[in-house]
């Protein structure tokens, strides 16, 4: 089964049955639109079938991406266009189970039972707030290769002393998930990854028997606290979203700004970069947990953030009880950045509007070598094309993306910018050689569907990759790309992630027509 899928050549979109011809394409008068249809969806199902065997291999991926300097560095990045980092699998998957994808190829996440222990610990005398602590610690995501990190929620008398890296919790009975010293330690970064976690500041929750043995409050807050870390793969735009902003949105957006953030592994440039989003979620100045000397008192607090999958969030009784979707996240981003467009341009004879395409350029790895030819083709088909590369100015780039009807890029973190597209716009992903179906689908394809974008994917053939200049055609790179995956992440990073692509414009054209067609649905 898997061999069928990974030797699968890219197919142009299949025949469409009775679909009406695309109006715009006709009106442009240059092209005879091909019949377009459901081939991509079928292809996607095929891709997901390979996941069963792929998941087994996933276990050996190391999370080191390209260079370890990406990790933990505190300096601003030179570029935000690196690829998502593959985390190491924490728990071996049950490969044969959970193949419950529907016809779109989506794997429904399953909800592990009994993930939450809620304990009403005690009533603190003379105090109206009940002391409770509940921790969600069994974040295994059946059917997905990584587990979620623990998150704890507390109510009662909570005193946060950043200097001691401690949340004191007045808890006369001592009950709760504490060790013999009355402590529980968590590294509150929202990606469970053994490689990263040592670099994340460890925060201790300390159960104390009375207020007398807790430090005295120097500042009292009337809103809940949320303590989290921005250490890790942040500065890669994919991870900025998957490991911090989406978890923060899931955990706090219902509080409508009435929440105090305390950030560990504080990176001033990062906080500055994401200030418009942080301000939308919290009405209060962020507290730098690494340097603050106060004792902050709260009646409620979170240590850590809830997370789901990467750019995928699904309803869940504890993790996402308000059933937020990626569409909600996109709307939040548009409001935070003041992005005007909620839907793509209306095309057609009357408006005479040209569809706008933004082509995200990668200048490091996975370059599109014949970018000019591709731009020329797109223009020939009627697109108004802009080529750009994202940088430190998130809002500026978000505006460019939001102005587009179609976003086109080679696989990489730049595709994360789809979060700024108007709902209903089209994402076109060019997937390089090397059996990258799982990553293409789970990092960008399924998220696009969840954001109610239209999604078109183009798998390059062996003729279209620079790997053909490095390896003979009978090499396993071409004959059996899964063998690269089997060697682990370093081989994948070195071989697959570093290729450039030269798209065959004849072969690519039907996919662009498909994108045009989608805009007119
Ligand atoms: C969330 O979705 C579940 C079903 O997935 C439903 O039972 C529940 O009522 C929903 N909650 C809200 C707040 O809409
Ligand atoms: C480009 O693609 C077309 C259509 O699939 C094919 O006929 C042609 O041989 C390809 N060109 C090259 C140089 O591979």
């Amino acid at each position: 089964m898997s061999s069928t899928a990974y030797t699968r050549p890219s197919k142009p979109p299949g025949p469409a049955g009775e679909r009406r011809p695309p109006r715009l394409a006709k009106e442009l008068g240059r092209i005879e639109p091909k019949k377009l249809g459901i081939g991509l969806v079928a292809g996607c199902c095929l891709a997901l079938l390979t996941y069963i065997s792929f998941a087994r291999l996933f276990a050996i991926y190391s999370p080191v991406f390209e260079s370890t300097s990406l990790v933990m560095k505190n300096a601003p990045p030179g570029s935000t266009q690196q690829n998502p980092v593959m985390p190491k699998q924490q728990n071996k998957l049950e490969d044969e189970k959970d193949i419950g994808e529907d016809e779109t190829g989506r794997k429904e996440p399953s909800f592990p039972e009994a993930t939450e222990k809620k304990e009403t610990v005690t009533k603190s005398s003379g105090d109206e707030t009940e002391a409770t602590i509940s921790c969600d610690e069994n974040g295994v995501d059946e059917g997905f290769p990584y587990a979620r990190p623990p998150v704890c929620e507390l109510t009662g008398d909570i005193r946060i002393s950043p200097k001691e890296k401690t949340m004191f919790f007045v808890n006369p009975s001592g009950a709760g998930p504490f060790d013999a010293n009355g402590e529980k330690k968590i590294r509150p970064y929202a990606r469970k990854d053994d490689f990263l976690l040592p670099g994340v500041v460890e925060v201790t929750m300390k159960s104390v028997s009375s207020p007398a043995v807790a430090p005295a409050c120097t500042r009292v807050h009337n809103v809940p606290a949320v303590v989290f870390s921005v250490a890790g793969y942040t500065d890669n735009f994919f991870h900025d979203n998957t490991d911090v902003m989406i978890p923060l949105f899931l955990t706090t957006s219902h509080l409508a700004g009435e929440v105090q953030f305390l950030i560990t592994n504080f990176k001033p440039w990062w906080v500055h970069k994401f200030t418009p989003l942080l301000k939308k979620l919290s009405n209060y100045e962020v507290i730098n947990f690494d340097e603050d000397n106060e004792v902050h008192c709260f009646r409620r607090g979170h240590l850590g953030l809830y997370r789901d999958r990467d750019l995928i969030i699904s309803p869940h009784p504890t993790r996402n009880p308000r059933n937020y979707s990626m569409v909600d996240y996109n709307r939040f981003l548009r409001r935070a950045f003041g992005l005007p467009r909620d839907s793509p341009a209306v095309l057609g004879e009357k408006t005479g509007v040209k569809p706008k395409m933004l082509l995200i350029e990668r200048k490091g790895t996975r370059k599109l070598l014949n970018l000019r030819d591709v731009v020329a083709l797109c223009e020939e088909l009627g697109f108004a094309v802009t080529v750009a590369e994202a940088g430190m100015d998130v809002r500026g780039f978000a505006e460019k993306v939001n102005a587009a009807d179609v976003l086109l890029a080679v696989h990489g973190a730049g595709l994360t910018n789809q979060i700024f597209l108007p709902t209903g716009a089209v994402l076109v992903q060019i997937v390089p050689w090397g059996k990258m179906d799982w990553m293409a689908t789970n990092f960008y394809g399924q998220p696009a569907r969840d954001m109610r974008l239209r999604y078109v994917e183009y798998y390059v053939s062996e003729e279209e990759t620079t790997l053909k200049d490095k390896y003979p055609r009978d090499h396993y790179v071409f004959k059996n790309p899964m063998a690269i995956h089997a060697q682990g992440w370093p081989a994948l990073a070195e071989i697959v992630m570093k290729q450039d692509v030269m798209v065959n414009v004849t072969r690519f054209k039907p996919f662009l027509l498909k994108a045009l067609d989608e805009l007119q649905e």
Side-chain angles (χ1 to χ4, degrees):
M1 165 169 52
S2 59
S3 67
T4 316
Y6 70 64
T7 55
R8 170 173 72 99
S10 295
K11 292 191 201 83
E18 306 165 352
R19 299 263 302 279
R20 65 195 156 77
R23 273 172 284 131
L24 183 78
K26 214 195 230 162
E27 143 204 338
L28 293 170
R30 295 179 190 266
I31 41 171
E32 186 58 41
K34 301 268 193 319
K35 296 231 176 93
L36 304 167
I38 56 167
L40 290 174
V41 173
C44 183
C45 287
L46 186 57
L48 261 287
L49 290 176
T50 60
Y51 169 67
I52 300 155
S53 57
F54 196 98
R56 198 177 289 125
L57 297 167
F58 216 110
I60 58 169
Y61 283 5
S62 147
V64 188
F65 173 69
E66 285 184 4
S67 100
T68 51
S69 67
L70 174 65
V71 182
M72 305 307 169
K73 74 180 174 198
N74 251 0
S79 157
T80 55
Q81 293 302 313
Q82 286 145 47
N83 199 64
V85 180
M86 306 290 279
K88 194 152 88 190
Q89 183 184 9
Q90 301 295 312
N91 296 282
K92 202 142 178 63
L93 293 170
E94 295 268 4
D95 296 322
E96 319 310 328
K97 288 199 297 191
D98 194 38
I99 315 167
E101 64 264 22
D102 61 24
E103 71 286 354
T104 64
R106 167 144 196 189
K107 295 181 71 66
E108 288 301 325
S110 51
F111 301 148
E113 312 237 316
T115 58
E116 195 184 29
K117 280 184 287 180
K118 184 146 194 148
E119 300 184 35
T120 296
V121 175
T122 183
K123 279 199 201 287
S124 26
S125 54
D127 216 320
E128 71 289 352
T129 315
E130 240 180 5
T132 63
I133 177 166
S134 71
C135 295
D136 186 340
E137 295 197 69
N138 180 13
V140 176
D141 183 353
E142 314 287 342
F144 211 64
Y146 21 104
R148 304 182 180 91
V151 189
C152 293
E153 268 184 74
L154 306 103
T155 59
D157 184 347
I158 300 151
R159 305 183 181 198
I160 302 183
S161 172
K163 199 171 49 184
E164 298 164 83
K165 308 278 172 263
T166 299
M167 293 173 81
F168 293 91
F169 176 47
V170 178
N171 180 25
S173 77
F178 302 104
D179 66 14
N181 299 322
E183 293 181 352
K184 180 168 180 62
K185 295 171 190 292
I186 285 183
R187 297 182 194 268
Y189 183 68
R191 176 174 291 268
K192 192 165 182 176
D193 183 322
D194 287 344
F195 180 80
L196 283 185
L197 287 176
V200 177
V201 168
E202 189 170 62
V203 178
T204 301
M205 287 183 292
K206 188 161 179 58
S207 169
V208 295
S209 57
S210 80
V213 287
C217 301
T218 63
R219 261 183 83 186
V220 175
H221 301 258
N222 294 318
V223 297
V226 174
V227 180
F228 64 96
S229 168
V230 299
Y233 300 124
T234 49
D235 81 7
N236 171 297
F237 194 57
F238 179 84
H239 289 282
D240 292 336
N241 281 280
T242 61
D243 299 1
V244 183
M245 290 316 312
I246 296 173
L248 201 55
F249 173 79
L250 265 188
T251 308
T252 69
S253 71
H254 66 284
L255 298 171
E258 290 302 297
V259 56
Q260 175 66 58
F261 297 152
L262 299 97
I263 302 185
T264 74
N265 299 100
F266 196 90
K267 305 176 191 179
W269 60 267
W270 192 93
V271 172
H272 180 255
K273 185 173 175 179
F274 289 95
T275 290
L277 303 186
L278 296 171
K279 276 196 188 310
K280 188 81 184 167
L281 289 170
S282 168
N283 301 332
Y284 304 89
E285 197 70 29
V286 163
I287 292 171
N288 179 345
F289 192 89
D290 300 338
E291 289 183 356
D292 191 90
N293 288 319
E294 307 251 24
V295 175
H296 297 270
C297 291
F298 297 89
R299 309 305 314 178
R300 284 166 62 202
H302 276 81
L303 179 56
L305 301 173
Y306 290 103
R307 81 165 300 33
D308 200 334
R309 292 186 176 176
D310 286 327
L311 298 173
I312 295 175
I313 51 183
S314 310
H316 186 277
T318 55
R319 198 155 52 236
N320 183 12
R322 289 161 200 89
N323 296 349
Y324 290 123
S325 69
M326 284 302 290
V327 174
D328 296 315
Y329 181 65
N330 297 350
R331 201 172 293 132
F332 154 75
L333 295 170
R334 289 202 286 265
R335 289 201 200 110
F337 284 127
L339 305 176
R341 297 170 86 225
D342 288 327
S343 56
V346 179
L347 309 178
E349 286 127 53
K350 282 186 199 120
T351 60
V353 172
K354 277 191 165 197
K356 290 199 185 69
M357 173 186 285
L358 179 66
L359 199 163
I360 297 184
E361 189 173 13
R362 295 179 59 92
K363 292 204 171 117
T365 55
R366 278 163 281 143
K367 291 188 287 290
L368 183 55
L369 295 177
N370 58 337
L371 182 94
R372 279 192 199 158
D373 298 340
V374 172
V375 170
L377 172 64
C378 294
E379 284 173 346
E380 184 200 326
L381 297 184
F383 289 103
V385 184
T386 306
V387 178
E389 191 177 19
M392 282 298 282
D393 178 11
V394 184
R395 187 200 299 264
F397 201 72
E399 282 167 1
K400 279 187 187 157
V401 177
N402 186 249
D405 304 305
V406 177
L407 181 66
L408 167 69
V410 179
H411 179 88
L415 281 170
T416 309
N417 286 290
Q418 64 176 292
I419 56 181
F420 301 125
L421 283 171
T423 307
V426 183
L427 179 74
V428 183
Q429 176 174 203
I430 297 176
V431 186
W433 180 259
K435 198 58 205 142
M436 292 177 67
D437 317 41
W438 194 91
M439 286 174 275
T441 303
N442 285 282
F443 293 161
Y444 304 114
Q446 187 56 45
R449 295 185 187 100
D450 286 2
M451 294 178 216
R452 287 198 233 127
L453 303 173
R454 313 342 153 67
Y455 175 61
V456 176
E457 59 188 1
Y458 178 78
Y459 283 83
V460 307
S461 68
E462 42 184 288
E463 302 300 329
E464 299 169 276
T465 169
T466 51
L467 292 175
K468 74 183 193 307
D469 307 327
K470 286 195 198 163
Y471 301 93
R473 294 309 171 86
D474 57 1
H475 193 273
Y476 66 76
V477 162
F478 295 108
K479 293 298 170 212
N480 180 19
M482 281 316 271
I484 313 167
H485 296 256
Q487 292 171 45
W489 181 248
L492 203 60
E494 188 54 37
I495 302 169
V496 172
M497 295 300 167
K498 288 194 178 162
Q499 68 188 296
D500 295 323
V501 299
M502 170 105 63
V503 165
N504 174 339
V505 292
T506 313
R507 188 167 170 265
F508 190 43
K509 189 168 165 176
F511 293 81
L512 292 170
L513 293 176
K514 163 88 173 154
L516 268 181
D517 192 38
E518 291 283 3
L519 278 178
Q520 296 166 82
E521 291 290 294

